[in-house]
């Protein structure tokens, strides 16, 4: 915060102070060692709470057979434990679901650091507690300071005992309250002597060592410090919330530089401790990836991943930097992010080149303003941690060096053959060529081998005196020296060029794969297809199987798998659901349901979670792969989300269409019913009011107009009824053998009165195969088409009605000489309420005629189509084709 | 009145309407001029200077309101709107834009001709602007701003009086809510139809022989009021 800025309460601090709605409060009873009486104190406090009327339930308490503690349990509500099957045995474990179902105000869960039996929902008890707090239940728990993750090593150095059960520091920071249970070391030893401290017989000797007075003093100090620090934190938080400008070290930022080596974990812990000392200064764990460096071995990258994961657990953030030069990359980042403290380990960079400055020296030289902390700690004594991380390289460079030797041999042979005709300098060129070839084809190290061997062979075979390593002429010494240096430089340069080329193409391949995957994802049409593509791409990227689950009706469902899979086991499904609900990874390799066969990760889209993807845990290893998979998951989430949005948009569109249809219907009814009614009413009232003063012809015309409009009204009502029958599925077709020519004649007769000066031309063949059709429906369909032809064609034009047949169908064609239908409209002429503007007066219908014709024809198994224009840019042709039956009545006779 | 037959232009795209309106108008003593589109109608207004225009709002080539606006730019005679009931807002807009009256489809010829006569009479009246209007035993003296009923002076508030004058000057023509509100309360109150309900009711109490069955001020539901006196 800059000093001239008005002091406002820190929003983050305010947010952190606001109890998340529904989240329970956590109180930790912290002690320095077993036996100080944490559980005892917790139970006493619980009894007091219960006496005050609180709803207190004991979830799990280990009494270790201590009578005082057991007596405190009396009168308290103690929950049963849930049986967990583990390797054929049934073990009893804390019943998390029971606890959540019981919903007490306060739940006692002893031993925060406890590791659950494999097969439980969570690996660790603190994760159980986290879920219970999330369910809105207050929790009291107990913890010994040696179980804190960041103190693991300190405790090991103090006591020589390595803690297996640890709790991430963040789990303690989340506590709303910490109560330190403190007794003096001598008091504790006294209690131990009286047998009040529980320990298994087998562990007695180790325990004796652990409980040495000096150990206890040190542990006590750790516990006191941690408790005090929490008090500090709370005070700081309060000051920040109040907007008080504090004495806290504003602006301290810590950068921890880790490599794929054994001290990485210690460095991360050191970073956390430094952060603690600096009032929780933000700390970042960085790893510099060098594009030109050979890929680290699987063990090395696993170690690196562990270190980065540990940083996450301890509350730090992580970053992967890229750059050829470790020092520059680190310092660039440090400058950009105002880093004030840099933590490095002494063995972070293996000293390959004795002439090069060590990392630490370089950093010291170049870092301005930032303090450098060098951790000289011994690497953790982990089993089988090979000193050199480059084991994988060793196997195949052998081949490279052999190849280099071969190339030098070849150069020697060529030089020997041309020895007589060329001088020494030219011979040197052949060796140079060999070095060049080694560098280009085999890489840096084989090229250097080739350079050294070439220098030796050149001297030995071709510089006088030959077959010795001695050089006779002083001039040749110079030649040799120049040759040697030139060969080394050539080998170095070409080898580097080749290695860089390799690295570039490897990265290009990764980018290309990602691009291809994203292209496939974005071209997937529909939700299911996107899910399937994602599963396939994940499977391909991890060389294993992959599944994708997406939200269904009320739960997530398996929507794609590669290779195909019918269903997940209930354990796998529980892990997937966990990942879905909490938005955190679950399953194998995570803290939640690690016994699942899959690792599930949430697919976080732009707006919401789009689903869950699962891969086989062994599949993702190298960090490069992991990042690729991460990118794939992101893209998959976006693709799924987009597919979902598209589906929603389509739904909305359909709704809009049906809405538009309804309003078209309303318009049609209001206009098409009212217009004929206006004419009828107007004509009738004219006749009534002024009949006497009108001549006979006018009177007759008015009456004719009334009849026409009444008929028009009737047709329109008929159309509406037909349409309703079609839409409602109430249409019954009575198919019978029909001669289409008869039906056509009847239809033409029906429209003949409206033809006026238009001329009907019939073109019927003398013979026409009969078809099975409903004659009345077909006639109505034809009448509608003919009326349309009349309505849209000028007076005096011709309407041609033809019938013909091909092998499979009998076809009716009706053509008019109207202005035709624009190509764009052609597909839609059979839609409801679609009518062309500028119909001639008589025919203006509701725009239902052709839609009904289509409905009827299709109900009879026929097809209908429109073509326009047909002659000189004018005219419309409607074709109706009805299928021939396999057997006609003639054949049956 | 004038010597020639009054000329009525009918603008409607439905030929069936012309088919009966033509004979009806002729029989009632008018000259019928037919136009099938708005463009044609506007041309006929300019060319033939009709004494009244009957305009259908649903024309194929132009929005009826647009046609009305164009016509009002150069034509001052009465314009009657033919509209369908589901086009309520269009009808009101048309009245606000200067149409004299409206007839809803389907309509009887008698009603149309009656409205036509009222609209034409109103135009004639306005030309001669009578200062004193009498309706039954009600007498309105617009010069002295006095209203009396059977010789007894009525006490009207200024707003009531303004409202009455607006209606009387409309003389048989529908005056829309918006027109009344703008004239009496000002353009800021064009939506406050409830004012009108209150003041019209008060006015009816004072001037109508039987306020529960008004014969002087008619309500056109959803549209406005009309002076029948």
């Amino acid at each position: 915060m800059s000093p001239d800025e008005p002091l406002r309460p820190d929003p983050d601090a305010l947010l952190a102070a606001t109890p998340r709605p529904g989240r329970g409060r956590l109180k930790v009873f912290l002690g320095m060692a077993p036996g100080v009486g944490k559980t005892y104190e917790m139970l006493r406090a619980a009894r007091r709470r219960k006496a005050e009327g609180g709803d207190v339930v004991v979830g799990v308490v280990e009494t270790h057979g201590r009578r005082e503690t057991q007596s405190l349990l009396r009168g308290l509500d103690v929950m049963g434990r849930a049986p967990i099957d583990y390797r054929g045995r049934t073990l009893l474990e804390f019943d998390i679901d029971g606890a959540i179902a019981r919903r007490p105000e306060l739940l006692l869960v002893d031993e925060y650091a406890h590791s659950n039996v494999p097969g439980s929902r969570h690996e660790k008890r603190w994760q159980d507690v986290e879920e219970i707090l999330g369910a809105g239940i207050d929790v009291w728990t107990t913890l010994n300071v040696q179980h804190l993750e960041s103190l693991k090593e300190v405790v090991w150095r103090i006591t020589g005992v390595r803690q297996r059960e640890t709790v991430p520091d963040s789990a303690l920071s989340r506590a709303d309250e910490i109560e330190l249970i403190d007794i003096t070391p001598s008091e504790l030893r006294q209690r131990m002597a009286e047998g009040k401290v529980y320990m298994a017989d087998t562990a007695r000797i180790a325990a004796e060592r652990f409980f040495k007075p000096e150990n206890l003093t040190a542990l006590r100090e750790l516990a006191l410090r941690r408790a005090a620090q929490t008090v500090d934190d709370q005070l700081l938080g309060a000051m920040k919330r109040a907007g008080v400008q504090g004495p806290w070290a504003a602006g301290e930022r810590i950068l921890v530089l880790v490599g794929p080596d054994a001290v990485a974990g210690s460095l991360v812990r050191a970073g956390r401790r430094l952060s603690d000392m600096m009032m929780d200064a933000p700390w970042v764990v960085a790893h510099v990836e060098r594009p030109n460096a050979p890929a680290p071995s699987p063990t090395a990258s696993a170690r690196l991943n562990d270190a980065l994961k540990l940083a996450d657990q301890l509350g730090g953030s992580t970053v992967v930097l890229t750059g050829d030069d470790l020092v520059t990359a680190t310092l660039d980042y440090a400058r950009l992010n105002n880093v004030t403290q840099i933590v490095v380990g002494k063995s972070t960079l293996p000293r390959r080149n004795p002439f090069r400055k060590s990392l630490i020296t370089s950093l010291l030289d170049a870092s301005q303003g930032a303090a450098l902390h060098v951790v000289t700690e011994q690497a953790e004594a982990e089993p089988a941690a090979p000193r050199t991380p480059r084991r994988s390289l060793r196997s195949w460079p052998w081949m490279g060096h052999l190849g280099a030797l071969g190339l030098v041999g070849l150069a020697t042979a060529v030089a020997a053959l041309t020895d007589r005709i060329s001088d020494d300098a030219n011979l040197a060129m052949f060796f140079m060529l060999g070095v060049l070839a080694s560098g280009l084809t085999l890489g840096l190290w084989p090229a250097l081998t080739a350079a050294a061997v070439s220098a030796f062979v050149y001297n030995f075979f071709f510089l006088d005196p030959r077959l010795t390593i001695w050089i006779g002429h002083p001039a040749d010494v110079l030649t040799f020296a120049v040759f040697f240096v030139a060969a080394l430089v050539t080998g170095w340069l070409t080898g580097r060029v080749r290695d860089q080329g390799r690295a570039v193409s490897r990265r290009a391949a990764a980018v290309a794969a990602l691009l291809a995957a994203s292209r496939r994802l974005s071209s997937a049409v529909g939700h299911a297809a996107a899910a399937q593509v994602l599963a396939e791409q994940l499977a391909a990227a991890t060389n294993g199987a992959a599944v994708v689950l997406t939200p269904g009706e009320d739960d997530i469902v398996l929507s794609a798998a590669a290779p195909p899979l019918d269903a997940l086991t209930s354990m796998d499904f529980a892990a997937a659901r966990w990942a879905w609900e909490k938005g955190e990874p679950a399953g194998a390799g995570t803290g939640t349901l690690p016994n699942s066969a899959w690792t599930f990760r949430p697919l976080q889209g732009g707006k919401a979670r789009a689903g869950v993807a699962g891969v086989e845990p062994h599949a993702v290893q190298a960090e490069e792969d992991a990042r690729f998979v991460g990118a794939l998951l992101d893209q998959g989430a976006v693709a799924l989300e987009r597919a979902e949005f598209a589906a929603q948009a389509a739904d909305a569109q359909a709704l809009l269409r049906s809405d538009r249809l309804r309003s078209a219907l309303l318009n049609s009814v209001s206009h098409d019913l009212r217009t004929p009614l206006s004419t009828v009413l107007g004509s009738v009232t004219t006749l009534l009011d002024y009949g006497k003063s009108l001549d006979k012809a006018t009177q007759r015309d008015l009456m004719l107009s009334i009849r026409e409009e009444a008929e028009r009204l009737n047709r329109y009502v008929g159309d509406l009824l037909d349409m309703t029958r079609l839409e409602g599925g109430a249409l019954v077709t009575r198919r019978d053998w029909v001669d289409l020519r008869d039906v056509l004649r009847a239809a033409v007769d029906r429209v003949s009165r409206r033809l006026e000066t238009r001329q009907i031309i019939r073109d019927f063949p003398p013979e026409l195969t009969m078809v099975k059709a409903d004659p009345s429906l077909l006639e109505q369909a034809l009448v509608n088409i003919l009326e349309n032809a009349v309505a849209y064609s000028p007076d005096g034009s011709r309407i041609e009605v033809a019938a013909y047949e091909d092998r499979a169908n009998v076809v009716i064609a009706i053509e008019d000489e109207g202005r035709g239908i624009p190509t764009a409209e052609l597909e839609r002429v059979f839609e409801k309420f679609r009518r062309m503007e500028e119909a001639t007066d008589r025919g203006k219908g509701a725009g239902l005629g052709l839609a009904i014709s289509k409905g009827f024809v299709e109900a009879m198994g026929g097809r209908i189509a429109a073509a326009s224009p047909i002659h000189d840019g004018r005219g419309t042709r409607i074709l109706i084709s009805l299928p021939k039956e396999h057997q006609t009545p003639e054949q049956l006779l | 009145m004038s010597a020639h037959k009054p000329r009525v232009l009918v603008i409607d795209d439905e030929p069936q309407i012309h088919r009966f309106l033509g004979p009806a108008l002729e029989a009632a003593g008018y000259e019928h001029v037919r136009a099938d589109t708005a463009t044609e109608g506007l041309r006929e207004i300019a060319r033939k200077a009709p004494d009244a225009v009957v305009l259908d709002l649903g024309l194929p080539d132009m929005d009826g309101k647009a046609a009305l606006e164009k016509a009002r730019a150069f034509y001052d005679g009465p314009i009657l709107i033919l509209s369908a009931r589901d086009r309520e807002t269009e009808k009101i807009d048309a009245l606000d834009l200067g149409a004299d009256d409206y007839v809803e489809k389907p309509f009887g010829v008698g009603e149309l001709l009656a409205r036509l006569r009222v609209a034409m009479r109103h135009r004639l009246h306005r030309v001669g602007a009578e200062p004193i209007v009498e309706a039954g035993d009600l007498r309105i003296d617009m010069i002295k701003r006095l209203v009396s009923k059977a010789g007894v002076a009525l006490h009207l508030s200024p707003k009531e009086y303004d409202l009455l004058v607006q209606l009387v000057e409309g003389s048989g023509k529908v005056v829309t809510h918006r027109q009344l509100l703008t004239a009496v309360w000002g353009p800021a109150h064009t939506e406050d139809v409830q004012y009108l309900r209150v003041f019209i009711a008060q006015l009816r109490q004072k001037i109508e022989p039987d306020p529960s069955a008004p014969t002087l001020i008619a309500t056109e539901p959803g549209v406005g009021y009309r002076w029948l006196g």
Side-chain angles (χ1 to χ4, degrees), chain A residues 504-552:
Chain A
V504 165
S505 58
R506 210 173 42 229
R507 236 182 317 285
V511 168
L514 194 59
L515 265 180
S518 90
R519 208 174 302 124
R520 282 202 56 199
L521 274 172
S522 57
S523 61
V525 179
H527 198 262
Q532 188 58 40
V533 169
L534 178 60
E536 283 165 13
Q537 296 289 334
L538 275 175
T542 57
N543 282 324
V547 290
V548 173
L549 294 96
T550 52

Side-chain angles (χ1 to χ4, degrees), chain A residues 667 670-671 674-675 677-679 681-683 685-686 689-690 693-694 698 701-702 704-705 708-709 712 841 844, chain B residues 13-17 19-21 23-24 27-28 60 83-87 105-111 113 117:
Chain A
N667 269 339
S670 98
H671 179 266
R674 196 172 281 136
T675 306
L677 278 175
S678 289
T679 312
L681 189 58
S683 301
T685 50
T686 305
D689 295 354
Y690 302 98
S693 54
L694 296 173
T698 311
D701 185 57
L702 285 178
L704 277 177
S705 143
E708 280 165 26
E709 291 303 289
R712 180 167 148 194
D841 8 282
K844 245 190 179 176
Chain B
D13 63 325
E14 287 287 339
Q16 308 290 11
I17 302 282
R19 202 163 156 195
F20 72 82
L21 263 187
S83 80
R85 182 172 301 169
D86 54 340
R87 305 265 177 104
K105 282 182 177 180
F107 55 89
V109 165
E111 186 192 358
L113 292 178
R117 271 195 302 276

Side-chain angles (χ1 to χ4, degrees), chain A residues 19 118 148 234 251 354 365 565 575 598 743 769 778 816 867:
Chain A
L148 272 176
Q234 280 164 357
D365 287 352
L565 186 72
W598 304 82
V743 185
T769 310
L778 185 59
D816 65 48

Side-chain angles (χ1 to χ4, degrees), chain B residues 4 22 35 57 64 67 82 99 102 110 122 146 149 169 190:
Chain B
H4 71 89
L57 280 183
L82 291 183
Y102 67 91
H122 165 241
L146 284 177
K149 193 176 174 184
E169 283 186 341
T190 54

Side-chain angles (χ1 to χ4, degrees), chain A residues 10-90:
Chain A
D10 181 351
D12 287 340
L14 283 177
L15 269 181
T18 320
R20 273 157 284 178
R23 192 181 152 84
R25 289 174 61 83
L26 175 66
K27 179 174 182 176
V28 177
F29 292 81
L30 183 69
M32 62 173 167
V36 295
K38 300 178 300 296
T39 307
Y40 183 83
E41 273 307 317
M42 180 170 77
L43 286 173
R44 276 181 30 162
R47 291 181 77 88
R48 279 197 299 277
R49 174 70 80 87
K50 190 170 171 75
E52 288 160 11
D55 178 18
V56 183
V57 168
V58 179
V60 59
V61 159
E62 307 290 350
T63 58
H64 300 300
R66 271 171 253 165
R67 251 173 290 119
E68 292 101 320
T69 318
Q70 265 168 345
S71 67
L72 281 176
L73 274 173
R74 242 170 273 134
L76 282 173
D77 187 355
V78 183
M79 277 178 46
R81 303 206 184 176
I84 301 272
D85 286 326
Y86 179 60
R87 295 192 183 154
R89 286 192 299 155
T90 301

Side-chain angles (χ1 to χ4, degrees), chain A residues 29-298:
Chain A
F29 292 81
L30 183 69
M32 62 173 167
V36 295
K38 300 178 300 296
T39 307
Y40 183 83
E41 273 307 317
M42 180 170 77
L43 286 173
R44 276 181 30 162
R47 291 181 77 88
R48 279 197 299 277
R49 174 70 80 87
K50 190 170 171 75
E52 288 160 11
D55 178 18
V56 183
V57 168
V58 179
V60 59
V61 159
E62 307 290 350
T63 58
H64 300 300
R66 271 171 253 165
R67 251 173 290 119
E68 292 101 320
T69 318
Q70 265 168 345
S71 67
L72 281 176
L73 274 173
R74 242 170 273 134
L76 282 173
D77 187 355
V78 183
M79 277 178 46
R81 303 206 184 176
I84 301 272
D85 286 326
Y86 179 60
R87 295 192 183 154
R89 286 192 299 155
T90 301
L91 300 171
L92 291 176
E93 200 39 282
F94 167 53
D95 180 8
I96 176 170
D97 289 319
I100 292 175
R102 169 69 177 76
R103 292 201 72 79
E105 272 171 30
L106 174 63
L107 186 75
L108 307 193
V109 182
D110 208 3
E111 301 200 352
Y112 202 30
H114 175 77
S115 293
N116 288 333
V117 177
S120 310
R121 178 172 326 155
H122 299 293
E123 221 173 352
K124 302 280 187 178
R125 183 167 287 165
W126 64 266
Q127 293 168 313
D128 292 343
V129 168
E130 189 57 24
E131 189 175 344
I132 290 166
L133 291 169
I137 300 167
D138 289 350
V139 176
W140 287 358
T141 189
T142 63
L143 178 70
N144 284 326
V145 75
Q146 81 243 29
H147 293 299
L148 272 176
E149 180 69 43
S150 67
L151 296 178
K152 185 175 158 184
E153 254 171 292
V154 180
V155 171
W156 171 54
R157 265 185 284 123
I158 294 172
T159 64
V161 177
R162 192 174 278 285
Q163 296 298 328
R164 299 271 167 227
E165 300 193 327
T166 58
V167 175
D169 292 43
S170 56
L172 182 64
S173 323
R174 269 196 287 272
D176 297 283
E177 210 180 320
I178 292 178
E179 186 170 335
L180 182 70
I181 311 300
D182 186 36
I183 57 173
T184 62
S186 54
E187 219 174 320
L188 179 60
R189 284 186 62 78
Q190 174 70 27
R191 293 182 58 173
M192 205 170 74
E194 289 166 9
K196 284 179 177 171
V197 175
Y198 161 78
M199 61 193 74
D201 285 344
T202 47
R204 187 165 288 276
I205 295 161
E208 291 282 348
R209 217 170 74 193
F210 186 85
F211 283 100
K212 278 193 290 196
E214 57 271 34
N215 286 357
L216 289 177
T217 308
L219 285 173
R220 185 180 184 209
E221 196 188 325
L222 277 177
L224 286 167
R225 263 205 337 232
R226 184 44 68 114
Q229 187 192 324
T230 310
V231 173
D232 275 357
D233 287 350
Q234 280 164 357
L235 183 68
L236 270 175
M239 286 167 86
K240 278 190 191 173
R241 280 195 294 282
V244 179
Q245 190 161 33
W248 57 80
E252 292 285 7
R253 273 169 184 279
I254 301 158
L255 177 70
V256 182
L257 193 59
V258 295
D261 46 34
V263 295
S266 311
L267 283 172
V268 171
R269 289 197 186 86
R272 162 76 210 214
R273 281 198 301 276
L274 190 60
S275 158
D276 282 352
M277 281 192 274
M278 295 182 169
M279 310 282 182
D280 264 341
W283 57 293
V284 181
V285 175
H287 165 60
V288 179
E289 195 171 84
R290 284 168 296 162
N292 284 314
S297 68

Side-chain angles (χ1 to χ4, degrees), chain A residues 8 62 245 314 335 498 566 636 702 779 828 831:
Chain A
R8 274 170 307 178
E62 307 290 350
Q245 190 161 33
L314 295 181
R335 252 190 304 280
R498 178 253 188 205
D566 286 335
L702 285 178
E779 185 183 315
R828 306 168 68 181
E831 284 178 16

Side-chain angles (χ1 to χ4, degrees), chain B residues 26-214:
Chain B
E26 299 284 347
Y30 298 96
E31 181 189 343
H32 170 231
V33 182
R34 167 178 174 167
D36 290 301
T37 63
T39 322
E40 198 187 325
L42 289 169
R43 199 171 55 228
E44 293 292 305
I45 293 173
R47 198 190 291 165
K48 303 241 170 94
D51 295 285
V53 174
V54 176
L55 173 68
D56 183 20
L57 280 183
L59 290 170
D61 61 333
M62 196 186 293
D63 178 45
K65 283 179 288 177
L68 181 65
E69 263 189 300
K70 288 202 166 140
R72 271 291 174 243
F74 63 92
Y75 178 70
D76 199 30
I79 299 181
L80 229 72
I81 299 296
L82 291 183
S83 80
R85 182 172 301 169
D86 54 340
R87 305 265 177 104
E88 187 90 344
T89 52
E90 275 190 14
K91 179 171 72 196
I92 295 170
D93 288 347
L95 290 169
D96 280 336
L97 283 170
D100 288 67
D101 209 340
Y102 67 91
V103 180
E104 272 178 3
K105 282 182 177 180
F107 55 89
V109 165
E111 186 192 358
L112 176 76
L113 292 178
R115 294 279 168 97
L116 208 53
R117 271 195 302 276
V118 167
M120 290 168 78
R121 187 183 66 207
H122 165 241
R123 293 287 150 165
L124 292 176
H125 269 282
R126 211 180 55 175
V127 175
E130 289 172 39
I132 293 172
V133 175
E134 291 189 339
D137 55 0
L138 189 74
R139 183 187 152 92
I140 306 165
D141 185 335
M142 298 204 203
I143 295 166
K144 296 182 182 163
R145 293 175 68 91
L146 284 177
V147 182
S148 60
K149 193 176 174 184
V152 183
L154 292 178
H155 179 73
L156 295 188
S157 77
K159 285 271 188 278
E160 286 167 356
Y161 178 80
D162 288 347
L163 198 56
L164 181 63
V165 168
Q166 286 297 321
L167 287 168
V168 169
E169 283 186 341
S171 175
K173 174 188 133 167
V174 175
V175 190
T176 63
H177 295 143
R178 179 185 291 265
Q179 287 165 344
L180 287 172
L181 285 163
T182 310
V184 178
W185 279 273
H189 299 278
T190 54
E191 304 298 325
D192 299 328
V193 181
Q194 71 277 14
Y195 291 8
L196 282 178
R197 303 215 194 294
V198 174
F199 278 84
I200 293 284
Q202 290 172 359
L203 208 50
R204 278 176 175 156
Q205 284 294 334
K206 291 177 181 173
I207 64 170
E208 289 277 4
D210 175 8
S212 62

